[in-house]
Amino acid sequence: MIRSYQGFTPVIPPTCYVDPSAQIVGDVILGEHSSVWMNAVVRGDVNSIRIGAKSNVQDCAVLHGMRHLYPVHIGEMVTIGHNATVHGCVIEDAVLIGIGAVILNDARIGEGSIVAAGAVIPEHTVIPPRSLVAGVPGKVRRQLADADRELILTYARNYLDYVASYLKET
């Protein structure tokens, strides 16, 4: 369901795929070729949410900001895994957020990073670019190599293929 809230209507280019079961509300702008999948919630009711081009928000993920303080900004070529929670934070370009990860208010995930499945990134945490972060709380475990970056982009490209396929079905 896509719906307006308090005068804000989500902006969704025709190149995007939004599953009918997804919930997109309020001050939300999706970049070209981005996607929001089954039962995901992108709730721009208390602050803005911006999702960059070619990014994907997978099944049951939740994106939400903190009222008057922290919007959500997602860069380009970002993959947000199934059941992840992304709250009031910045995710820079070419980042992979693993399944079930939690990113909390005012955190910043640097370009080209991976946040491992199940990791919890505490409020106000800044993760440097090209970092592998894992654990509860999430800690940088190592710097990423070029092969790791290629893996991140592979996930994003896979979802671009899925977008094309699903758009043909609609």
Side-chain angles (χ1 to χ4, degrees):
M1 174 189 299
I2 299 166
R3 70 176 199 191
S4 299
Y5 182 77
Q6 294 189 345
F8 291 99
T9 300
V11 176
I12 302 170
T15 59
C16 295
Y17 176 73
V18 175
D19 190 80
S21 66
Q23 302 284 318
I24 301 181
V25 180
D27 189 3
V28 176
I29 299 176
L30 273 60
E32 295 286 338
H33 305 283
S34 61
S35 56
V36 181
W37 295 89
M38 291 75 174
N39 298 305
V41 176
V42 181
R43 194 173 134 206
D45 59 345
V46 299
N47 215 319
S48 63
I49 298 177
R50 302 295 180 260
I51 299 174
K54 302 177 182 175
S55 291
N56 64 87
V57 178
Q58 296 176 9
D59 313 47
C60 300
V62 175
L63 279 63
H64 192 234
M66 184 169 180
R67 188 174 188 200
H68 305 304
L69 289 175
Y70 305 118
V72 174
H73 180 82
I74 308 296
E76 296 186 359
M77 295 292 282
V78 170
T79 294
I80 299 175
H82 311 291
N83 289 308
T85 300
V86 175
H87 202 279
C89 59
V90 174
I91 311 294
E92 295 182 3
D93 294 342
V95 168
L96 171 61
I97 304 297
I99 293 170
V102 177
I103 319 296
L104 295 173
N105 288 329
D106 196 34
R108 181 178 208 92
I109 309 300
E111 183 273 333
S113 292
I114 296 174
V115 177
V120 176
I121 308 303
E123 288 188 341
H124 316 297
T125 300
V126 176
I127 302 298
R130 296 182 70 117
S131 296
L132 172 63
V133 183
V136 179
K139 296 192 184 308
V140 174
R141 305 301 176 169
R142 68 175 172 89
Q143 287 303 114
L144 296 178
D146 290 343
D148 299 307
R149 182 178 179 80
E150 190 54 37
L151 177 67
I152 294 167
L153 296 177
T154 295
Y155 281 105
R157 287 185 201 113
N158 285 346
Y159 270 82
L160 291 174
D161 287 345
Y162 305 155
V163 167
S165 176
Y166 272 75
L167 286 176
K168 285 181 188 174
E169 294 281 323
T170 57

